[in-house]
Amino acid sequence: MDKVVVYDTTLRDGAQTEGISFSVADKLKIARRLVELGFDYVEGGWPGSNPKDLEFFGQVAGDPVLRERVTAFGSTRRKNTRPADDENLQRLCSCGVKTVTLFGKTWDLHVTRALNTTLEENLAMIRESVAYLKEQGLEVIYDAEHFFDGYKENPDYALATLEAAVNAGASTLVLCDTNGGSMPWEVEAAVRRVVERFPGVTVGIHAHNDTGMAVANTVVAVKAGARHVQGTVNGYGERCGNADLCAVLPNLTFKCGFATLPRESFARLVELSRYVSELANVHPYPQQPYVGMSAFAHKGGVHVSAIMKEPRCYEHIDPALVGNRRRVLVSELAGQSNLLYKLRELNLDLPSQGEVARQILAELKELERQGFQFESAEASFELLVRRAANSYERPFVLESLRILTELKEGGAVHAEATIKLRVGDKVVHTAAEGNGPVNALDNALRKALEQFYPAIRRMRLVDYKVRVLDGAAGTGAVVRVLIETGDGQRTWVTVGVSPNIIEASWQALADSFTYGLLKQAE
């Protein structure tokens, strides 16, 4: 298998995403994870751009493992300045890494308008900067900024900039679609010409996603002869993002037969995607190819029936290859195949055929018509099945619930919930306060049940979401409440639906405690 060098720029290009700001600690954690998984290069940032990156490179310099893989990013010297007098180049030389990635101007428009210099001076800037860094004993990867735009308008000059970098000692030429506007056939033709023009030099691709083509452009570049790919985890990046390495790498390895990461690292690709999204404080995208939660989710009954017989019918690869898993969803579109699959998944001994199964499917579809959604609330779905099959005893029954809310001047809220429950043959009647009606309800329910079920003390709210299902109904609209709960070992989601947010919250909260107690008993 031909080897394709994998270069990650999450910590630099990815950090330019609107709303993302990695701390130094975050950057070090991500860098170590990428190195551990076998990424060939990890671009750490621009030492001369901000104090955070200076601190990061200070930490990298003291870590022999990171020093081998982390690269520093910077620009060619300023116009009419000697390399030895250029502050940016000096910081690249002194930051402690062994490889630097230097970007320079390829598009004559940028040379004359953005840099406000001559085409000849720009060539000298490239040549002298690369040569100077090589004299300091550094490996130099040359990023040809705006290569494809420059190549379209003035191919001779674009190629001349690459020649200046190669002649000065650059080991890799990376062709950048900086504006993200190139089409795959344009990328393929340009890369092929560069590979032919510079035999023996590694050619790379750096694609942005402004036209949704970043992954496709990266793959066709490799097919045209590039052997170095740049991108980011989850496709993070400025504007519309960069090529998503979580799609690029499995495409190159599993679809095109190239060696990228070690095979065992692919089984941790989902883990990597979630790890970086957590540190970036960005919610994972469910429909993300390969690593998204929905990438191998099946909802239609016909689809589920087919994958139960042969997974390849509706799955392009085995989800386990990238650390993902198959999911079968239950909804109003579900058939008996969905139900059978879920029963097996939940280890429930219930025949999928017959009256009970038809009853469950009918109830499921009626509840979804009302606004319930069980695709993410699988704990509520399991309780629905168990109730239909009479396979568990309810741990408590609501007798009555009253909530009083007092709003005071200045916005202070005081809420009190009074609850009466039946637990076995005993009745408990208690009250609790909270900073709002749902918090008071939660506190009262816990207070009533903890004496019977101490395990409830370990159950904690992870997330609480409310969605209005029909905004046209105004304040009388039906709402859906999703509650995620955890006990330190697992998390689960339950759902409630009602025009009354308190009733919807009660449904989800009661299911949450019931499910948690059921699992504790198992």
Side-chain angles (χ1 to χ4, degrees):
M1 297 174 71
D2 282 358
K3 166 64 178 173
V4 174
V5 173
V6 180
Y7 183 110
D8 178 88
T9 180
T10 304
L11 303 182
R12 202 268 307 171
D13 243 348
Q16 293 177 198
T17 305
E18 184 176 1
I20 289 181
S21 179
F22 294 119
S23 68
V24 173
D26 293 335
K27 295 183 69 165
L28 289 167
K29 289 176 183 177
I30 293 171
R32 290 189 176 104
R33 183 64 59 91
L34 294 171
V35 169
E36 176 187 332
L37 292 177
F39 283 69
D40 298 293
Y41 294 99
V42 178
E43 188 174 271
W46 192 331
S49 67
N50 59 78
K52 186 190 297 183
D53 278 359
L54 281 173
E55 181 182 349
F56 170 78
F57 281 103
Q59 298 276 352
V60 168
D63 187 319
V65 175
L66 290 182
R67 284 186 66 232
E68 291 292 328
R69 301 284 186 90
V70 172
T71 71
F73 181 83
S75 66
T76 55
R77 66 163 175 82
R78 290 171 295 172
K79 62 181 181 181
N80 304 320
T81 303
R82 294 191 315 136
D85 296 330
D86 187 88
E87 184 178 1
N88 172 64
L89 292 181
Q90 295 309 307
R91 285 182 172 171
L92 289 175
C93 293
S94 63
C95 69
V97 298
K98 296 185 176 182
T99 303
V100 298
T101 299
L102 195 72
F103 80 90
K105 300 297 184 182
T106 311
W107 191 1
D108 55 3
L109 173 73
H110 267 256
V111 175
T112 58
R113 298 296 296 275
L115 290 183
N116 194 27
T117 191
T118 65
L119 300 184
E120 293 74 16
E121 171 64 6
N122 181 58
L123 293 176
M125 291 162 64
I126 297 169
R127 184 171 53 252
E128 293 173 13
S129 299
V130 173
Y132 181 79
L133 294 173
K134 290 294 293 182
E135 289 170 4
Q136 312 310 309
L138 296 168
E139 178 189 5
V140 180
I141 296 171
Y142 180 70
D143 273 12
E145 189 187 38
H146 292 101
F147 172 79
F148 295 97
D149 293 312
Y151 183 79
K152 291 173 198 174
E153 293 196 6
N154 190 340
D156 290 340
Y157 186 74
L159 293 171
T161 65
L162 300 183
E163 191 162 7
V166 169
N167 290 342
S171 61
T172 301
L173 295 174
V174 180
L175 312 181
C176 302
D177 188 26
T178 312
N179 285 356
S182 299
M183 294 292 105
W185 54 90
E186 296 172 324
V187 170
E188 182 179 15
V191 170
R192 200 175 300 281
R193 183 172 179 190
V194 171
V195 170
E196 292 171 353
R197 174 73 175 269
F198 299 99
V201 176
T202 301
V203 174
I205 178 70
H206 177 113
H208 284 255
N209 202 39
D210 298 71
T211 55
M213 296 291 177
V215 171
N217 284 340
T218 302
V219 172
V220 299
V222 172
K223 295 293 285 185
R227 291 297 181 267
H228 171 116
V229 295
Q230 296 190 359
T232 61
V233 176
N234 299 328
Y236 297 150
E238 197 162 14
R239 304 186 311 276
C240 303
N242 287 51
D244 181 5
L245 291 178
C246 293
V248 167
L249 299 181
N251 278 339
L252 290 176
T253 295
F254 299 124
K255 304 296 185 180
C256 303
F258 291 99
T260 54
L261 299 180
R263 283 298 183 112
E264 59 271 19
S265 294
F266 277 102
R268 298 175 60 188
L269 198 59
V270 169
E271 171 197 317
L272 174 65
S273 171
R274 307 273 170 83
Y275 183 75
V276 174
S277 68
E278 180 68 25
L279 291 176
N281 197 26
V282 174
H283 197 278
Y285 177 48
Q287 283 75 35
Q288 188 176 353
Y290 288 101
V291 297
M293 187 177 181
S294 299
F296 299 94
H298 306 278
K299 186 171 181 178
V302 172
H303 290 209
V304 176
S305 176
I307 65 163
M308 290 179 68
K309 299 167 185 173
E310 173 53 74
R312 289 188 302 160
C313 288
Y314 285 98
E315 291 177 350
H316 65 103
I317 65 165
D318 178 357
L321 288 174
V322 291
N324 214 330
R325 68 181 183 91
R326 179 179 305 122
R327 295 173 58 239
V328 168
L329 310 178
V330 288
S331 72
E332 75 280 2
L333 300 179
Q336 295 213 359
S337 295
N338 300 60
L339 182 59
L340 175 60
Y341 190 96
K342 293 302 293 184
L343 293 177
R344 289 176 178 173
E345 189 176 65
L346 297 171
N347 295 316
L348 296 177
D349 186 17
L350 178 69
S352 64
Q353 306 293 329
E355 186 58 35
V356 174
R358 285 191 288 272
Q359 176 188 337
I360 292 172
L361 288 173
E363 184 177 359
L364 175 70
K365 293 179 181 185
E366 172 58 24
L367 288 171
E368 293 236 347
R369 185 193 66 78
Q370 296 174 21
F372 283 82
Q373 187 179 66
F374 295 96
E375 293 175 12
S376 57
E378 293 192 343
S380 286
F381 170 74
E382 182 174 342
L383 292 178
L384 182 154
V385 172
R386 289 180 179 275
R387 283 192 289 265
N390 295 315
S391 65
Y392 82 102
E393 182 178 347
R394 296 170 66 184
F396 58 89
V397 177
L398 178 67
E399 295 279 326
S400 64
L401 170 66
R402 182 172 67 248
I403 297 180
L404 299 175
T405 302
E406 181 182 7
L407 179 62
K408 297 182 179 179
E409 186 69 28
V413 177
H414 172 77
E416 180 181 293
T418 303
I419 195 168
K420 186 177 182 182
L421 298 177
R422 183 176 299 279
V423 182
D425 59 356
K426 296 183 179 180
V427 174
V428 58
H429 193 182
T430 190
E433 297 178 330
N435 59 15
V438 177
N439 181 233
L441 168 60
D442 183 26
N443 291 338
L445 185 56
R446 290 175 181 276
K447 185 177 178 181
L449 293 177
E450 282 180 355
Q451 57 185 304
F452 302 99
Y453 306 110
I456 283 179
R457 296 190 183 98
R458 295 197 295 272
M459 299 181 198
R460 290 289 179 265
L461 177 72
V462 176
D463 199 6
Y464 175 88
K465 296 177 182 176
V466 180
R467 181 181 173 187
V468 176
L469 299 184
D470 180 13
T475 54
V478 173
V479 297
R480 179 192 299 133
V481 171
L482 288 170
I483 291 180
E484 183 177 0
T485 308
D487 63 1
Q489 295 179 318
R490 63 174 72 88
T491 61
W492 59 91
V493 179
T494 52
V495 62
V497 172
S498 173
N500 185 325
I501 192 172
I502 301 301
E503 182 184 8
S505 298
W506 161 258
Q507 293 169 356
L509 198 57
D511 269 6
S512 176
F513 285 137
T514 299
Y515 182 85
L517 293 171
L518 183 69
K519 293 303 174 183
Q520 289 284 342
E522 292 178 349

